[in-house]
Amino acid sequence: MPIEKPTIFNTVKEIRTRLQEVRTQGQSISFVPTMGNLHQGHFDLILKASELADHVVVSIFVNPMQFGPHEDFDAYPRTLATDFGALSELPCQSIFAPTVREIYPKGVSTEIDVPSLSTILCGQHRPGHFRGVATIVNKLLNIVEPQYAILGKKDYQQLQVIETMVSDLLMPIKIVGAETTREPSGLAMSSRNAYLSEIQRTLAAELFHSLNTLAIALAETRHMSPILKIERQRLTDAGFIVDYLEIRNADNISATYLEATRAVILVAARLGKARLIDNLVVHLTH
Ligand code: PAF
């Protein structure tokens, strides 16, 4: 059956009107928020969204509020025409692609913050980032009012922030975490991989290699400090600037994972112009 082309909406009013019709027809809605420059990782989120509900909404919005003053907001790849083309081949019925003015007509006077999860790990290196993420995702969820929102597990901390926000604010939405899509080399797919040269792209797979080395070690021992130190140094020697390489409790990303049933190994490192993140969840046997 040929896939129906999605309709593009640029204003809050238009998409709300359309989604009200969808709800009146008794259809359920699932939502995939993105910043565009769509790749296979996003396509997998959209396929998952289409398994969960009748009507899939994808947003494309490069959110200025989640970028620091010296970060890549201006350079972030904006590929709207290609993205629309790709979405036409996917089970996506509505695209929401607003302007910054549409989303922040009066600037920012209200912010959503989940401080306990937002000041550690990436939050320590990107102050205010998760406040920007939580605020935009809250706005988008208020606009779309989906039953399901699908987010990638690659952004592990982001997923935790959003799950916590939705739960704390009693939002009637199920947040679904989807598995990370990887290149054959193991490199997690990300729009920021576009910043890598070919040589750097090959090297970037070393992050996943480190995560796997640590996961194997974690199956044998809880005495991980020396092994973490070796892996940090190995990545540094290979040319990465490592922001962090840590093991945390997978349920709440707290530092105490020793009693946990699942641990998550998280890495963030800069390579050339790209800041790359990845993670691996490990089930612990005690
Ligand atoms: O993961 C992203 O692409 C963004 O952080 C999100 C969730 C779309 C919010 O801008």
Side-chain angles (χ1 to χ4, degrees), residues 66-107:
Q66 70 189 74
F67 289 80
H70 305 294
E71 291 186 352
D72 57 342
F73 175 69
D74 289 330
Y76 199 86
R78 287 159 173 88
T79 53
L80 269 188
T82 320
D83 292 346
F84 292 158
L87 290 172
S88 306
E89 308 294 321
L90 288 161
C92 162
Q93 285 71 36
S94 296
I95 302 173
F96 181 47
T99 61
V100 172
R101 186 184 281 264
E102 180 69 14
I103 293 295
Y104 297 106
K106 297 179 187 155

Side-chain angles (χ1 to χ4, degrees), residues 33-35 61 63 66 133 136-137 151 155 158 162:
T34 82
M35 297 205 298
F61 179 66
N63 172 37
Q66 70 189 74
V133 169
I136 186 60
V137 174
L151 290 128
D155 298 297
Q158 167 172 285
I162 293 170

Side-chain angles (χ1 to χ4, degrees), residues 187 193 196 204 207 240 267-271 274-278:
L187 174 65
N193 292 352
L196 298 169
L207 292 182
F240 291 88
V267 66
R270 283 171 283 145
L271 185 60
R275 184 176 186 276
L276 305 170
I277 58 173
D278 201 354

